[in-house]
Structures are given as C-alpha cells and as structure tokens.
Amino acid sequence: MGHEAHHHEDKLQLAFFASPLHQHQPSSPAHEVDPSADLGRPEKPHHNASVDSDPEASNPEFENMDDSLHDNPTFHKHAEATTHELFYDLFFVANLTTFTSMLEINDRHSLTGYIGFFSLLWLTWYQVSLYDVRFSSDSVFERCAKAIHFGCMVGFAVIGPQWKPGQDIADYKIYKAFGLMLMVSRLTLFCQYGVTLCFTKKYRKTIVPLSMVMAWTLLAAVLYGALTPVFPKTLFNATGAEVAQKSNLYIAWYIIAISETILTVTVSCVWRIISFKGTHMVQRMSLLTLIILGEGIIVICKSISKIVKNEYLWTLSVVGQIVAGKSSQTPPLFLTY
C-alpha cells in the first residue's frame, strides 16, 4: 500500500518541461522466469492468458515501436478540445462580443476597423491553436505560456475601445503597446516550438519543418517589435493641444499575420510528419464557428429591438433591414471547414 501511495504521488508531480511525444511502455519479456517457481517441477511452455485474450498484445514488438523504426514520432493527440483550449476560445469570443457591442458599423471606417480587428484576433487565435492541437503537453512551462497567451487576449480587450484604424488619432501609444503585445505572443510561440524541437530532434525528419516554423515565428515577432517605434509620435500645437495624425502602418500587421499563418500551414501540409492528421482542429473550428454565430445572433436581436423600438411597428423597411442582417450572419467558408 505504501509503495502504491508513493507511486501515485510521483505521478501527480508536474514537470517543468514535458515531452509532446507519446511514450511507449516497455513490454515484458515473452518468457520471463518466475524466481519463486519450483525448481523440481518439469519445465512447461510458458503460456500467458492475457496475450490470448488481448489480440493487440500478441502483435510483434516492432509494430508497437514503428515510430522509432521509421523515424516518425508519435505526438500526443487529443480527440477533443482540452479545458485550457476551451478557455482560450472563451477569451476569443469575449473579445469579439465586447468589441462588437461597442462598435456600430454604420460607415466605411467602422466596417474596415471591424474586419481588421477580427482578422488580427482570429489569426492570433489560429496561430496558438495550430500549436496546441499538435504539440501541447501539461507542464509548468506550458502553463506559463498559456498564461501569456491569455494576457495577450486581455490586450485585445484593452485596445478594442480605442481601435480606430485609418482615422486621425492624436496619441498612438495604445497602438505601440498593441504591437509589443503581438511581439510577445509570437516570441512565446517561438519558445514553445523550440521546446518541442528539443524533444523531437532525435527524429531527423522533424528538424527542418519545426526550424522553418520557428524562423518565421521569430521573424514575425521581430517585425512586430520593429514597427512599434515607427508609429507617429505625439505632436502639440502652439496652444499645447495634441495634434491628430493619420497613419496606415497598421496594415503591415495584417500582412505579417496572414503571411506567417500561410507559411505555417504550408509547412504542415508539405511535411506530413507535423500535419494535423488525427487532431481535433476541424472540430474546434466548428465549435468556434457556432459560438461566433451565436454571438452574431445576439447582436442581431439587440439591433432588431432597437429598430422596432424606434419605428413602433413592422414596416417593409424594417423587415428588409432584419433580413439583410440575418443574411450577413452566414458563416464564412474558412471558419466552417
């Protein structure tokens, strides 16, 4: 009993770093001699009933170690989204809901601002999810990395109320902070991929694709950081008031985020050893799509209430606005599939 309790305590200990690889349990020898057996008893062929009852246990050992023979690692792959992944999705939806409730899309600037904010939010979420569904493991380092990613989602919530791209702004400090936040997010991903590479470097096929993903992630982080001081500095006029300025530097964020996502997915498709086969990525995307649609329905219902409250009756124009609003909530193909 004491030995079992001690073994249970050891299993509860959380390592600082954890391998993303599936560890094979060493199989027991087929003909193991029992030291307590009677030496005077005639030797009989060893017959293991558990082997006969379990067809998988009768397979040759080289089939269980197929990954070592063919230089292909076996990663931990979850059939369903884990708790921290669902919690991260909740942060995504909370940011989008808060931003949508504070922004009314009634002109060109508000529409482009919404598209830009949603794109950066979704691409950041997607980059983190690409890592989680393939290489995530429970360790102190991974939990600290998840805390940083959660903090970046809080950063999106902070900049949401002040997100006015393409408009004259007097102070760009919030945009500079946002650029640093994107840099920290990519540096965290770079470190996570680096730890994965350290555990999988014995498999030579994983070195090139993981190194390429790390290189592009690091380059994206450097570009995000380099763009931060390029934003306009605060200017004051003769009376001491801040002068509003216009800058389109934020467009570079879209280019960097889209480029790194395309490159990461391309590497995963070319090098099938780190592909998404066997992961729950499609299921997670589907769940997120349903959540986004639910958030959109809530916004539509609020808008319908405002329209009917102002019009006091159902007219043809009111019905047309409601139909147009429902049509705009059709799920995008890239979110559904």
Side-chain angles (χ1 to χ4, degrees):
M1 293 293 294
H3 176 72
E4 292 179 0
H6 178 70
H7 180 66
H8 181 67
E9 291 178 357
D10 291 340
K11 289 179 65 177
L12 294 178
Q13 293 180 357
L14 187 65
F16 190 83
F17 294 104
S19 174
L21 299 174
H22 178 74
Q23 302 295 333
H24 293 280
Q25 298 295 335
S27 58
S28 59
H31 302 281
E32 185 176 0
V33 179
D34 187 2
S36 62
D38 188 2
L39 296 178
R41 186 177 300 173
E43 183 177 359
K44 297 181 179 180
H46 180 75
H47 181 74
N48 192 347
S50 63
V51 174
D52 295 338
S53 61
D54 187 4
E56 293 183 0
S58 61
N59 292 337
E61 183 178 357
F62 68 84
E63 291 185 5
N64 296 330
M65 301 297 292
D66 184 67
D67 57 341
S68 299
L69 291 175
H70 298 283
D71 197 24
N72 293 327
T74 303
F75 294 101
H76 287 291
K77 294 180 179 179
H78 308 282
E80 297 179 353
T82 59
T83 303
H84 72 265
E85 290 176 345
L86 294 176
F87 195 57
Y88 189 68
D89 296 347
L90 181 61
F91 266 85
F92 174 91
V93 178
N95 272 298
L96 186 61
T97 304
T98 304
F99 181 76
T100 305
S101 62
M102 301 184 63
L103 177 67
E104 293 186 358
I105 304 177
N106 47 25
D107 57 4
R108 179 176 59 87
H109 293 292
S110 59
L111 177 60
T112 56
Y114 178 85
I115 296 174
F117 184 85
F118 176 82
S119 299
L120 291 176
L121 179 63
W122 187 84
L123 290 171
T124 301
W125 171 89
Y126 190 59
Q127 283 287 339
V128 177
S129 299
L130 290 180
Y131 173 85
D132 286 340
V133 298
R134 294 180 293 175
F135 310 120
S136 180
S137 58
D138 192 16
S139 64
V140 176
F141 169 76
E142 284 292 334
R143 293 187 180 185
C144 294
K146 295 297 183 299
I148 295 176
H149 290 309
F150 290 148
C152 293
M153 282 294 170
V154 175
F156 275 95
V158 172
I159 195 175
Q162 306 182 52
W163 182 258
K164 300 177 181 179
Q167 302 182 30
D168 294 336
I169 302 175
D171 191 358
Y172 280 88
K173 290 182 180 179
I174 190 68
Y175 284 81
K176 295 179 181 180
F178 186 69
L180 294 176
M181 184 206 69
L182 293 175
M183 179 187 70
V184 171
S185 173
R186 300 316 189 264
L187 286 178
T188 304
L189 276 176
F190 172 80
C191 295
Q192 289 179 289
Y193 280 114
V195 172
T196 302
L197 180 59
C198 290
F199 280 105
T200 61
K201 62 182 179 181
K202 60 181 179 180
Y203 301 97
R204 291 174 295 178
K205 294 181 180 179
T206 63
I207 297 178
V208 173
L210 287 178
S211 298
M212 295 176 67
V213 173
M214 289 177 60
W216 289 324
T217 304
L218 180 61
L219 178 61
V222 172
L223 292 177
Y224 285 131
L227 290 174
T228 300
V230 184
F231 280 99
K233 298 181 179 179
T234 305
L235 299 178
F236 300 92
N237 56 18
T239 60
E242 295 181 348
V243 179
Q245 306 174 71
K246 184 177 180 180
S247 176
N248 294 324
L249 191 62
Y250 63 92
I251 299 177
W253 290 343
Y254 306 150
I255 299 175
I256 297 172
I258 294 174
S259 299
E260 64 171 332
T261 301
I262 292 176
L263 293 173
T264 302
V265 174
T266 301
V267 170
S268 303
C269 294
V270 174
W271 280 268
R272 304 296 296 174
I273 196 170
I274 60 170
S275 66
F276 306 103
K277 184 179 180 180
T279 64
H280 59 276
M281 192 64 193
V282 175
Q283 178 188 9
R284 191 175 178 189
M285 296 281 287
S286 301
L287 291 175
L288 184 67
T289 302
L290 292 176
I291 296 174
I292 294 176
L293 290 177
E295 183 273 336
I297 293 173
I298 294 174
V299 174
I300 287 178
C301 293
K302 290 182 178 179
S303 301
I304 292 174
S305 300
K306 291 181 179 179
I307 293 174
V308 176
K309 183 179 179 180
N310 294 330
E311 294 287 344
Y312 298 105
L313 73 165
W314 291 92
T315 62
L316 185 60
S317 60
V318 172
V319 175
Q321 294 177 26
I322 294 175
V323 172
K326 292 178 68 63
S327 301
S328 64
Q329 290 298 319
T330 303
L333 292 178
F334 74 92
L335 286 177
T336 308
Y337 300 100

